[in-house]
Amino acid sequence: MNRRVSVGLAAAALPDKVRETFGETGHDSPHRRMQMAWALQTSEGLEVRYLLSCGAHEPFVEWRVPVTGSLPSLAHHLPMLSWYESEMADLFGIGFEHHPHPQSLVLHEGVKPLVPPMLDDGTPLDCVSTQAWLPKQDNPAIQHLPFGPIRADVVESAEFQFLYIGEGILHYHPRLFWKHRGMERRFEGQSAAQGVILAERVSGVGSLAHALAYCQAVEDALGVEVPRRAHWLRLILAELERLYNHLHYFGHLCQTTTLKVGAAQGLLLEERVKQLIGRHIGNRLPRGLLTPGGLRRDLDFTGLDQALRELQRQIESYLRDLENTRSHLDRLITTGPLTRQTAYDQGATGPVERASGIDRDTRRDHPYAAYAELRFDVPVEQAGDAHARAKVRMGELHESLSLIYQALTRLEPGPVRAPLPDAAATAEGLGWVESPRGTLFYTVLFGADGRLARVKIKSPSFSNWRVFPYTVHDTNLMDYAINEASFGLSVAGCDR
C-alpha cells in the first residue's frame, strides 16, 4: 500500500499552493484531486489537514496547516471542500474567510454550542439559537415543501426542502445530520482493537468496508504486516459485501420505477447472497471478523465458488430482464444527469463518478489487500444519468464475482493474524477502501497512552450527498425518488 507524504504549510500560503497544484481552473487532471480535509487537536495546537491524491500508484500528499486564526476558504477554487470546511467550522469552531456557504452543516438551527463539540471538556452543552437557511424568494407562485425527516417505510432520517412551481423543482436543499452520532469522537480513548467494533457500526450497509479501512489505517500507523491469507480473505469478504449492496440497489431502484417484480427479485437475490455469507461465516452480515493485524479467526470458503456460479446465472438473467424492460429504462435514461465536470468539481466518488466518465477506483489505482495480484476491469459510463449509474453497478457485479473466483483459487493455508505492537505516541496511519458506494478513508492518530486520540472518517456518502442536489435542481418532482435511488446513498454513512 502506498504511504502518504506530509508537507507543512502556513495558512497564508494555501491559496497559492492550491493554484500551483490544481491549476487556475482547479481541475487539470482527474487523478490529481483533493480527497478530504479534517481538523485535529495536536500537542502543539489545532491543525487542519488536507489529503490529496496525485495519480495512480503515487503516494497521497497531506498538507498540514496550523490554525492560529481563521483560514482562507479554498471552496471557491475547489468546491468539493465546501462541506469539509463547514463541518470543521461546526465541530471545531474554525473560521474560513469568504466561505461561499457560511451556513451550518452538521448543526441545525437552535444548536450553536458555546464550545465547539470536538473541543469541549465534558461540561454540559450550552447553546444559542440560530436561524434556518433557504434561498430567498419573493415569487408567490413558488411553493415550499419540507419533506422529512420522518418518511414512510424503513428509511433513514433526512429532510428535503423543495422550492417548486407545479412539477418543476427550482431549488432543492437536503438537510442531513439529524442523527449525527459523534462517531469520530467516540473513538477517542479506545484501544486499537476496540475501534474496529465502532467502525463496523458507522454504516450498517458498509460494515466490512469501514472495518477494513480502519484496520488498514491502524496497521499503517503501527507498521504491521498482515499475513497473506488474511489479505485474500479480506478481499473475498469485501466483494461479497459489494454483491449484496449492489443487488439491494437494483431492488430499490425497481421499487421507484414501480417495477414490482424486479424489486422483489433484486431483494431476493440480495438475501441469497447474505444467506450464502451466513453459511460460511455464521453471520448474514460480515461483522466481527476483521481486527487490526488480520482476521479474528480463519474462514472456510469451501463450496463458495459453486454456490456463487449458480447464483451468477440468476443475477445475469435478472439484469438482462431489467435491460429489456422498456418502462423501467424510460424512467432511468436522461434522469438526474451529472456532468463529468460537476462530478469532479463537487467531489463525486464511486459508481456515481464512474457513471459520469471519471475512471477512478482505489482497488486498481492504490491497491490494498490482494487487489494488485488480480485482473479486473473498472466499468465506466459517459452519460451520467440514472441509467449510467445502474449500468456501472451491473458491470461491477460481474467484476466482483470474477474477483472472488480468482481469489478462491489463490487461497493457501497460513496464519490470518499478526500481533499488534504497542502504539507509539503520535503514531498516525491512513487506510482506504473502494466501498460499494465509493472511496472510504480512515485516518488514525494515537495519543501518549497508546489509545486512539483522533479518528477521521471520510465516507463516500458524505461526498455523494454533496453532489446529489446538482442533479435535482430544474428537474421534475416525479423523477426525484428514481434519481435519489440511482445514487445509492447512505444517510448514516454521511451523518456518522
Side-chain angles (χ1 to χ4, degrees):
M1 182 181 290
N2 295 328
R3 301 301 185 192
R4 57 179 163 179
V5 177
S6 296
V7 178
L9 285 177
L14 270 174
D16 287 342
K17 189 66 176 177
V18 166
R19 281 191 285 272
E20 174 191 328
T21 305
F22 295 96
E24 289 299 328
T25 60
H27 43 75
D28 281 356
S29 165
H31 286 288
R32 183 180 299 161
R33 190 173 193 185
M34 185 68 74
Q35 291 287 352
M36 64 173 178
W38 72 103
L40 72 165
Q41 184 76 47
T42 70
S43 59
E44 297 176 356
L46 202 55
E47 194 171 274
V48 169
R49 305 275 181 90
Y50 298 87
L51 186 73
L52 299 72
S53 56
C54 296
H57 305 287
E58 295 292 329
F60 290 98
V61 174
E62 182 185 74
W63 296 344
R64 300 184 173 193
V65 182
V67 179
T68 55
S70 58
L71 298 180
S73 172
L74 304 181
H76 292 282
H77 206 80
L78 301 173
M80 56 80 62
L81 280 176
S82 177
W83 272 26
Y84 293 95
E85 292 180 351
S86 296
E87 184 181 49
M88 287 186 278
D90 282 354
L91 301 183
F92 284 87
I94 300 173
F96 289 89
E97 300 165 5
H98 310 298
H99 192 280
H101 303 288
Q103 301 81 21
S104 291
L105 175 71
V106 179
L107 304 177
H108 289 187
E109 61 273 14
V111 181
K112 183 68 175 177
L114 299 180
V115 178
M118 291 294 281
L119 300 179
D120 81 272
D121 56 2
T123 55
L125 198 64
D126 198 359
C127 302
V128 297
S129 295
T130 55
Q131 297 296 315
W133 177 87
L134 267 181
K136 291 182 179 178
Q137 56 84 19
D138 53 10
N139 185 342
I142 298 177
Q143 295 177 286
H144 175 209
L145 171 63
F147 179 54
I150 307 301
R151 298 182 283 165
D153 207 345
V154 184
V155 293
E156 300 171 287
S157 301
E159 184 182 40
F160 309 128
Q161 306 273 351
F162 295 91
L163 297 180
Y164 66 102
I165 297 178
E167 290 291 331
I169 302 172
L170 302 179
H171 182 83
Y172 166 78
H173 180 62
R175 295 179 73 252
L176 305 168
F177 303 97
W178 288 91
K179 291 186 177 176
H180 173 64
R181 293 163 287 159
M183 293 298 286
E184 294 178 7
R185 188 69 192 268
R186 293 180 67 85
F187 279 94
E188 296 178 10
Q190 304 293 330
S191 68
Q194 290 169 330
V196 72
I197 298 171
L198 279 175
E200 287 178 339
R201 284 151 180 82
V202 173
S203 177
V205 294
S207 290
L208 193 285
H210 278 267
L212 180 53
Y214 167 79
C215 287
Q216 292 181 158
V218 171
E219 290 151 7
D220 180 35
L222 306 187
V224 175
E225 191 65 37
V226 176
R228 182 173 173 79
R229 180 174 174 82
H231 277 314
W232 288 110
L233 292 174
R234 284 177 168 186
L235 185 152
I236 293 169
L237 291 168
E239 296 307 317
L240 286 171
E241 185 176 72
R242 194 181 318 278
L243 282 182
Y244 76 72
N245 267 276
H246 280 7
L247 289 168
H248 177 89
Y249 169 92
F250 283 107
H252 180 49
L253 189 64
C254 289
Q255 198 170 23
T256 63
T257 61
T258 66
L259 196 63
K260 300 299 184 184
V261 174
Q265 287 178 317
L267 298 181
L268 175 62
L269 290 169
E270 173 201 358
E271 177 58 27
R272 285 178 174 163
V273 174
K274 287 180 175 176
Q275 289 181 359
L276 199 55
I277 295 172
R279 285 201 290 275
H280 285 276
I281 68 172
N283 189 337
R284 291 169 63 255
L285 300 175
R287 294 177 183 164
L289 298 171
L290 269 55
T291 189
L295 273 72
R296 290 185 178 185
R297 58 184 169 87
D298 204 352
L299 299 175
D300 181 4
F301 282 128
T302 303
L304 179 62
D305 183 287
Q306 184 178 356
L308 278 177
R309 289 187 188 279
E310 170 58 30
L311 194 59
Q312 183 174 6
R313 285 190 283 273
Q314 300 172 36
I315 293 172
E316 289 176 350
S317 172
Y318 170 63
L319 298 179
R320 273 197 306 273
D321 287 345
L322 292 185
E323 282 297 281
N324 289 323
T325 304
R326 188 165 182 172
S327 64
H328 179 68
L329 296 181
D330 282 349
R331 304 300 303 275
L332 300 180
I333 295 171
T334 73
T335 294
L338 177 68
T339 66
R340 187 178 191 279
Q341 193 63 65
T342 302
Y344 178 84
D345 288 346
Q346 303 299 333
T349 185
V352 173
E353 69 169 337
R354 291 193 282 274
S356 294
I358 299 178
D359 184 6
R360 294 193 313 151
D361 188 319
T362 53
R363 293 176 296 175
R364 179 199 61 197
D365 301 335
H366 302 279
Y368 53 90
Y371 285 105
E373 300 184 42
L374 300 181
R375 300 183 311 278
F376 65 101
D377 293 327
V378 176
V380 176
E381 295 287 330
Q382 303 297 326
D385 58 7
H387 185 227
R389 292 188 277 276
K391 287 183 70 175
V392 166
R393 284 177 171 85
M394 288 181 181
E396 290 186 358
L397 279 170
H398 177 80
E399 296 301 324
S400 285
L401 287 163
S402 171
L403 283 166
I404 294 171
Y405 298 147
Q406 294 179 59
L408 287 171
T409 66
R410 308 286 287 274
L411 270 180
E412 295 177 357
V416 296
R417 184 174 181 177
L420 280 188
D422 292 335
T426 73
E428 294 186 44
L430 173 68
W432 59 87
V433 164
E434 191 68 25
S435 79
R437 288 167 177 76
T439 308
L440 167 66
F441 283 99
Y442 268 70
T443 66
V444 300
L445 168 67
F446 286 91
D449 58 358
R451 290 180 171 269
L452 293 164
R454 175 81 170 103
V455 171
K456 172 60 186 173
I457 307 164
K458 180 270 177 187
S459 81
S461 286
F462 184 87
S463 302
N464 287 335
W465 269 112
R466 159 77 188 169
V467 175
F468 177 57
Y470 291 88
T471 66
V472 182
H473 304 317
D474 298 324
T475 61
N476 192 302
L477 278 168
M478 293 296 291
D479 289 337
Y480 175 80
I482 299 169
N483 189 18
E484 184 187 330
S486 76
F487 267 70
L489 300 162
S490 159
V491 174
C494 178
D495 288 1
R496 290 157 289 134

